[in-house]
Amino acid sequence: KLEIFTFFEPMIEVGGDLYDIDLINEKHYRIFLADAVGHGIQAALITMLIKSEYERIKHFRLSAKDSIETLNRQFVYIYENLNTYFTCFLIDIDLEAMEITYVSAGHPFQILLAGDEIIRLTSRGTLFGIEAHQTFDMETKRIEPGNRIYLYTDGIIEAYNESKKLYGIENFTESIMRNKSHSLRKASENILIDVNKWRGSADRNDDVTLIGIEIKQQ
């Protein structure tokens, strides 16, 4: 019912990006994406803590909003002395109601491609790890067969070239539109090729995660 493409490449051997894809029931999927502040071993250790706490709460089947708020509260209570932070994005894909529900915590807006329209998936929320009782907005949008969702971390849009110019959201969305007639896999691979072409010989400055999702005919 969904086609899913995933790509993860850390800046070095380990990284601070994390994603989790969970089948809640036959027509309900949940995807969680997190990006720890920093790079390398320290960020990788933080993702281990995030993963541990997320696994602890995800089986309670809370709403997207309650899951994010519970995760933030637990993380602050347990790890506030570490003075570490991360962004995240959680999205529920409900193929029975044909809608998505999502919550963002300081993460860049994600993308819904509906025909020839790019819809920005954004909601209000600060970084995780700052305030235990922080509340987060939850948003809902309709989806249709053929729609695509692109989830990513800022290693894509903040990739820079030899001239220190960022790839940016405009180049990213243009690449998505330019490749919309291709299969999901081919489109996603072409987007990553575009990012690498932009980077050229410049060193990678962050971890890169891209998840492409296509809603299939039911």
Side-chain angles (χ1 to χ4, degrees):
K1 298 177 177 62
L2 291 181
E3 182 181 352
I4 301 177
F5 170 93
T6 62
F7 177 87
F8 166 65
E9 188 170 36
M11 189 176 77
I12 58 174
E13 286 81 358
V14 293
D17 288 0
L18 163 73
Y19 68 86
D20 182 277
I21 301 173
D22 189 23
L23 176 63
I24 294 178
N25 60 51
E26 185 183 358
K27 290 194 172 184
H28 191 172
Y29 296 78
R30 172 169 289 178
I31 302 177
F32 174 73
L33 178 62
D35 183 0
V37 173
H39 310 292
I41 294 174
Q42 180 181 359
L45 291 173
I46 297 306
T47 62
M48 291 174 62
L49 301 180
I50 298 168
K51 176 68 170 173
S52 175
E53 294 306 317
Y54 181 68
E55 288 291 334
R56 203 185 299 260
I57 70 164
K58 78 174 188 178
H59 298 293
F60 291 112
R61 301 308 187 200
L62 303 172
S63 70
K65 175 181 172 67
D66 289 342
S67 293
I68 287 293
E69 290 179 352
T70 301
L71 179 60
N72 178 66
R73 189 164 55 249
Q74 289 296 105
F75 196 84
V76 173
Y77 284 161
I78 298 172
Y79 304 114
E80 63 178 339
N81 291 335
L82 296 180
N83 293 318
T84 188
Y85 312 100
F86 65 96
T87 71
C88 68
F89 188 89
L90 188 149
I91 183 168
D92 283 349
I93 304 173
D94 187 337
L95 298 176
E96 186 169 13
M98 290 302 287
E99 64 183 21
I100 55 174
T101 303
Y102 57 93
V103 180
S104 176
H107 205 73
F109 67 79
Q110 307 292 277
I111 290 172
L112 170 63
L113 175 62
D116 292 326
E117 183 182 8
I118 284 186
I119 301 169
R120 298 186 175 194
L121 305 180
T122 182
S123 60
R124 185 183 62 83
T126 62
L127 288 168
F128 259 42
I130 297 176
E131 168 57 49
H133 297 286
Q134 170 72 33
T135 59
F136 298 87
D137 290 343
M138 184 167 70
E139 304 287 343
T140 299
K141 292 192 183 301
R142 297 286 300 170
I143 53 173
E144 296 180 356
N147 288 174
R148 290 178 178 176
I149 301 165
Y150 285 98
L151 309 180
Y152 64 96
T153 54
D154 58 11
I156 289 182
I157 58 175
E158 293 182 3
Y160 58 76
N161 60 19
E162 299 95 327
S163 301
K164 301 299 181 182
K165 292 183 179 179
L166 294 180
Y167 182 65
I169 192 63
E170 289 188 5
N171 284 324
F172 183 44
T173 53
E174 285 175 6
S175 184
I176 289 173
M177 290 297 295
R178 189 165 57 249
N179 287 286
K180 64 185 178 66
S181 61
H182 292 298
S183 69
L184 177 68
R185 171 170 289 277
K186 181 65 174 175
S188 301
E189 289 173 346
N190 284 349
I191 291 165
L192 293 167
I193 289 171
D194 285 346
V195 176
N196 284 330
K197 284 182 177 178
W198 175 271
R199 183 183 293 115
S201 61
D203 292 334
R204 186 183 295 110
N205 60 318
D206 202 352
D207 310 317
V208 171
T209 299
L210 176 67
I211 302 175
I213 305 146
E214 183 169 323
I215 315 300
K216 309 298 283 186
Q217 292 289 340
Q218 304 304 302

